[in-house]
């Protein structure tokens, strides 16, 4: 009798210790990221204020269009290599399983390189085409091509995966703040010297490159693997060891492309259907709201590895607790930001940017509302990815994008730049509803979960969880008890 009941007791103890360890680490990680994001937000707002006052609405609108073109192409073509690396690497120990982990990081690095080159080439082609088709001036074409060089240095996918798998969230926060301070120092110097649009574009280009390279170098220092281990790691046999990784990567890429097309191309649409000044006001609202959205992305990246481990261990109760607690936290945070902007937004914008940019206030209020809706679904998205339900995420993104593109043009024609924000509110509503429904259906798949009595020793916090089958989201048959 004692022999038959002992596994049950041990299983409960294992899951309890695992859940407590993950929760403690998760709280610390979120604390580091939120403090870093808050500091970055304050520094970024000062930088935006100086640039806006220096350039004025029209020139700032041109800067906004140049930056948006580069950011849109980077987001549209990026594979977000951190997702497959974390998805398949969460059950591995980076120090002990170097033979398996090095090829995984090399795969992610190749995805980053391919996406960077493709983004640079396509963005440069669009800028050149705009010169001949849309009468983009030669001077502005040169500035756009200068900034687009920064896309070639984007290795953030691998760096992000390493930081999150090694729990180096404090380093992420420090790097964010350091890069924001460097940009502020350069912008302040340019402002004092009366610099123009060209100098501001150069500053953004330089700081973008420095930020990407510093992330990558610091990640390599934090990793227990050498750079040569990654570069010379053989890829032969990797796809058999990690079945479905290509499908998962392409699914992430397509999902991100659709998502980013609505989140990034909107400024370009406003500039095309309205005017550069409207695009500048819209971009200011987007810049501030993007910091709030970044909180959602960072918190999602914190809980994603934990959700992958909990799903692999079969701990359904802890899995759902993490999802619900995270989404409640993000909803409260977003509501607080919305109320702050609603009550103090006009005063803050006038103090920081001047009366010429007061038109950005109503845009910002509606944009924060839309962002609050999107970040509230961050944990559900992470949960679906941890379960291998990439297809459900893709369907939801397709529905959101369709809703946005069908509503944005007529709304922009009717309400100007505000129309794009109203379309984003519709996007957020469809996003939140679709993810909630998909996760609810996924949780009904009882075959994915193990009872506490049958959780194997692999679920111990100091050992690797059991393998996870990417094609179905279930634990592989070879590891089943």
């Amino acid at each position: 009798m004692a022999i038959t009941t002992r596994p049950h007791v041990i299983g409960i103890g294992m899951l309890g210790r695992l859940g407590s360890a993950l929760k403690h680490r998760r709280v610390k990680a979120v604390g580091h990221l939120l403090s870093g994001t808050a500091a970055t937000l304050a520094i970024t707002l000062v930088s935006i204020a100086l640039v806006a006052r220096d350039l004025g609405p029209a020139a700032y609108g041109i800067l906004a269009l140049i930056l948006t073109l580069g950011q849109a192409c980077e987001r549209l073509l990026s594979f977000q290599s951190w997702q497959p690396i974390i998805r398949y690497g969460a059950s591995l120990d980076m120090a002990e399983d170097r033979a398996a982990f090095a090829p995984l990081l090399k795969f992610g690095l190749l995805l980053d390189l391919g996406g960077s080159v493709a983004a640079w080439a396509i963005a440069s082609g669009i800028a050149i085409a705009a010169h001949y088709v849309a009468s983009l001036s030669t001077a502005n074409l040169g500035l756009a091509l200068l900034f687009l060089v920064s896309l070639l240095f984007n290795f953030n996918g691998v760096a992000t995966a390493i930081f999150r798998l090694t729990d180096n969230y404090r380093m992420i926060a420090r790097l964010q703040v350091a890069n924001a301070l460097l940009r502020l120092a350069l912008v302040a110097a340019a402002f004092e010297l009366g610099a123009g649009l060209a100098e501001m574009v150069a500053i953004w280009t330089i700081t973008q490159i420095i930020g990407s390279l510093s992330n990558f170098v610091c990640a390599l220092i934090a990793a227990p693997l050498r750079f040569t281990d990654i570069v010379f790691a053989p890829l032969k046999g990797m796809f058999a060891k990690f079945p479905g990784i290509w499908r998962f990567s392409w699914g992430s890429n397509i999902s991100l492309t659709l998502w980013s097309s609505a989140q990034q191309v909107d400024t370009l649409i406003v500039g095309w259907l309205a005017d550069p000044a409207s695009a500048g006001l819209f971009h200011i609202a987007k810049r501030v709201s993007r910091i709030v959205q970044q909180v959602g992305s960072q918190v999602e990246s914190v809980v994603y590895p934990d959700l992958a481990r909990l799903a692999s261990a079969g701990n359904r109760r802890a899995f759902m607790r993490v999802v619900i607690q995270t989404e409640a936290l993000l909803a409260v945070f977003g509501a607080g930001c919305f109320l702050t902007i609603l009550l103090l937004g006009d005063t803050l914008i006038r103090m920081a940017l001047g009366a010429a940019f007061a038109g950005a206030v109503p845009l910002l209020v509606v944009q924060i509302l839309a962002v609050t809706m999107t970040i509230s679904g961050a944990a559900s998205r992470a949960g679906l990815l941890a379960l291998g339900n990439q297809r459900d995420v893709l369907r939801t993104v397709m529905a959101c994008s369709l809703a946005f593109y069908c509503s944005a043009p007529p709304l922009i024609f009717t309400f100007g730049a505000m129309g794009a924000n109203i379309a984003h509110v519709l996007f957020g509503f469809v996003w939140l509803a679709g993810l909630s429904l998909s996760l609810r259906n996924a949780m009904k798949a009882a075959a994915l979960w193990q009872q506490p009595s049958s959780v194997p020793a692999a679920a111990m916090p100091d050992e690797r969880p059991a393998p996870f089958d990417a094609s179905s989201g279930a634990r592989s048959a070879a590891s089943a008890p």
Side-chain angles (χ1 to χ4, degrees):
M1 184 69 176
I3 295 177
T4 58
T5 58
R6 187 180 177 186
H8 176 75
V9 176
I10 293 177
I12 295 176
M14 289 176 183
L15 291 180
R17 293 199 303 272
L18 177 60
S20 299
L22 294 181
K23 182 178 180 180
H24 176 68
R25 209 174 59 242
R26 187 168 58 251
V27 170
K28 289 181 63 178
V30 170
H32 289 314
L33 291 178
L34 290 182
S35 61
T37 299
T40 303
L41 171 60
I43 298 168
T44 300
L45 289 177
V46 177
S47 298
I48 292 175
L50 292 176
V51 174
R53 286 181 178 274
D54 183 60
L55 299 181
Y60 184 85
I62 295 173
L63 174 64
L65 292 174
I66 291 174
L67 298 181
T68 301
L69 174 61
Q71 292 164 356
C73 289
E74 185 270 324
R75 296 284 291 178
L76 291 174
L77 297 168
S78 170
F79 275 90
Q80 291 290 285
S81 63
W82 65 270
Q83 290 190 15
I85 292 174
I86 291 178
R87 171 69 178 78
Y88 289 85
S91 60
L92 300 174
D93 187 292
M94 194 181 299
E96 297 181 2
D97 297 305
R98 295 189 179 191
F101 219 104
L104 189 60
L105 291 177
K106 182 177 181 178
F107 175 74
L109 182 58
L110 292 175
L111 290 181
D112 284 348
L113 288 172
S116 299
V117 173
W120 168 78
I122 292 178
S124 299
I126 292 174
I128 294 172
H131 172 65
Y132 290 101
V133 176
S135 301
L136 180 67
S137 68
T138 303
N140 290 337
L141 172 62
L143 295 178
L145 294 177
L146 171 64
F147 175 73
L148 295 177
V149 172
S150 64
L151 298 181
L152 293 172
F153 297 86
N154 182 22
F155 313 128
N156 289 325
V158 170
T160 298
I162 293 175
F163 281 139
R164 289 164 185 171
L165 286 173
T166 57
D167 294 328
N168 273 289
Y169 295 99
R170 181 178 297 178
M171 180 64 70
I172 296 176
R174 288 175 176 174
L175 289 172
Q176 283 180 340
V177 174
N179 192 253
L181 285 173
L182 174 62
R183 180 172 291 166
L184 174 60
L186 295 175
V187 166
F191 180 81
E192 287 296 324
L193 296 174
L197 178 61
E199 290 76 13
M200 294 300 178
V201 172
I203 289 172
W204 248 261
T205 304
I206 293 170
T207 53
Q208 193 90 351
I209 294 174
I210 292 176
S212 297
L213 291 179
S214 60
N215 275 346
F216 186 67
V217 172
C218 290
L220 291 178
I221 295 174
L225 292 84
R226 297 188 301 269
F227 180 63
T228 53
D229 294 335
I230 300 173
V231 172
F232 296 108
L235 294 180
K236 184 178 180 180
M238 193 198 77
F239 302 110
K241 185 174 182 60
F242 304 110
I245 190 171
W246 258 122
R247 184 173 61 216
F248 186 91
S249 299
W250 276 109
S252 299
N253 176 263
I254 296 172
S255 176
L256 180 70
T257 297
L258 291 174
W259 169 277
S260 299
S261 66
Q263 299 297 324
Q264 298 287 344
V265 179
D266 51 1
T267 303
L268 299 177
I269 295 176
V270 172
W272 174 43
L273 296 179
D275 54 77
S278 297
L281 294 176
F282 183 78
H283 185 259
I284 287 175
K286 289 281 292 185
R287 287 288 296 179
V288 177
S289 65
R290 190 173 295 136
I291 301 297
V292 179
Q293 192 170 44
Q294 187 179 5
V295 172
S297 299
Q298 291 176 338
V299 172
E300 176 188 349
S301 67
V302 171
V303 301
Y304 180 37
D306 288 351
L307 289 173
R309 294 184 181 105
L310 290 170
S312 182
N315 193 342
R316 177 174 182 166
R317 181 177 298 177
F319 184 95
M320 281 307 302
R321 184 166 60 247
V322 171
V323 171
I324 293 172
Q325 289 176 348
T326 303
E327 297 208 337
L329 171 66
L330 290 173
V332 171
F333 173 78
C337 292
F338 173 75
L339 291 175
T340 300
I341 296 300
L342 182 64
L343 298 175
L344 303 175
D346 185 71
T347 302
L348 294 175
I349 291 294
R350 289 179 181 274
M351 289 176 57
L353 307 180
F357 291 88
V361 177
L363 298 176
L364 179 58
V365 171
V366 180
Q367 185 65 31
I368 291 292
L369 175 61
V371 169
T372 299
M373 298 175 71
T374 57
I375 67 173
S376 296
S380 292
R381 178 177 180 271
L384 287 169
L385 293 176
L387 295 173
N389 290 40
Q390 176 66 260
R391 188 174 300 175
D392 289 339
V393 176
L394 180 58
R395 288 197 194 101
T396 303
V397 173
M398 291 175 66
C400 295
S401 302
L402 181 63
F404 176 83
Y405 284 115
C406 288
S407 61
L411 286 172
I412 292 174
F413 272 121
T414 305
F415 301 104
M418 179 61 77
N421 283 328
I422 298 174
H424 276 300
V425 172
L426 179 60
F427 180 99
F429 177 79
V430 177
W431 169 253
L432 191 57
L435 288 180
S436 299
L437 181 61
S438 296
L439 184 62
R440 180 182 177 183
N441 292 334
M443 296 304 294
K444 290 180 179 179
L448 294 176
W449 308 103
Q450 302 294 327
Q451 297 300 321
S453 58
S454 60
V455 174
M460 285 289 289
D462 57 343
E463 297 185 19
R464 297 191 303 272
F468 207 67
D469 181 19
S471 60
S472 65
R475 294 180 46 183
S476 63
S479 64

